[in-house]
Amino acid sequence: VQLQASGGGLVQDGGSLDLSCVSSQRPYSSHVMGWFRQAPGKEREFVAAIRWGTGRTYYADSVQGRFTISRDGAKNTLYLQMHSLKSEDTAVYYCAVAYRGLSTVENEYNAWGQGTLVTVSS
């Protein structure tokens, strides 16, 4: 499977940005798709995930209430709506798919997109 992330850009502190991730294959209902991010000089970290079939979601504490993950089954597309952005949200954002289980662990994801850069200016 190939994942193509897009939507990154430059936004001011407090602003909003929407990311998209298109999958080349229709995810199975048991698959989990997630967003991770990597800030300069830091490890890649979990942001949010969604089980494709049920729509069950899970968020990192740092984005809970500000970010919303969703999916469109007809378009094989994963979304991340980001609001109230802060400078600490600046990072390269990656989408990924896990074939088993809702997970926050990077190593449990099986395929990754190329990343899209989000820069929040203060």
Side-chain angles (χ1 to χ4, degrees):
V1 62
Q2 292 185 341
L3 303 176
Q4 181 72 40
S6 63
L10 176 64
V11 62
Q12 289 188 335
D13 186 64
S16 299
L17 203 60
D18 295 339
L19 305 183
S20 300
C21 173
V22 180
S23 173
S24 62
Q25 297 178 12
R26 183 174 180 270
Y28 291 171
S29 60
S30 59
H31 289 174
V32 170
M33 292 197 74
W35 289 98
F36 286 74
R37 66 185 181 186
Q38 187 168 21
K42 295 187 176 181
E43 301 278 325
R44 190 153 57 182
E45 65 175 2
F46 171 79
V47 174
I50 186 168
R51 186 178 294 278
W52 197 261
T54 63
R56 179 188 174 192
T57 59
Y58 191 81
Y59 296 93
D61 289 344
S62 59
V63 306
Q64 180 77 49
R66 300 188 298 122
F67 290 11
T68 301
I69 188 171
S70 62
R71 86 282 192 230
D72 185 332
K75 297 181 180 179
N76 295 345
T77 301
L78 176 73
Y79 301 101
L80 186 68
Q81 296 175 295
M82 305 184 292
H83 299 288
S84 302
L85 284 162
K86 308 173 184 179
S87 57
E88 51 262 45
D89 294 318
T90 294
V92 176
Y93 284 70
Y94 298 88
C95 56
V97 59
Y99 298 148
R100 295 189 267 178
L102 191 64
S103 175
T104 65
V105 178
E106 179 180 350
N107 289 344
E108 295 183 0
Y109 283 76
N110 303 96
W112 292 80
Q114 85 289 0
T116 185
L117 176 62
V118 173
T119 303
V120 183
S121 64
S122 55

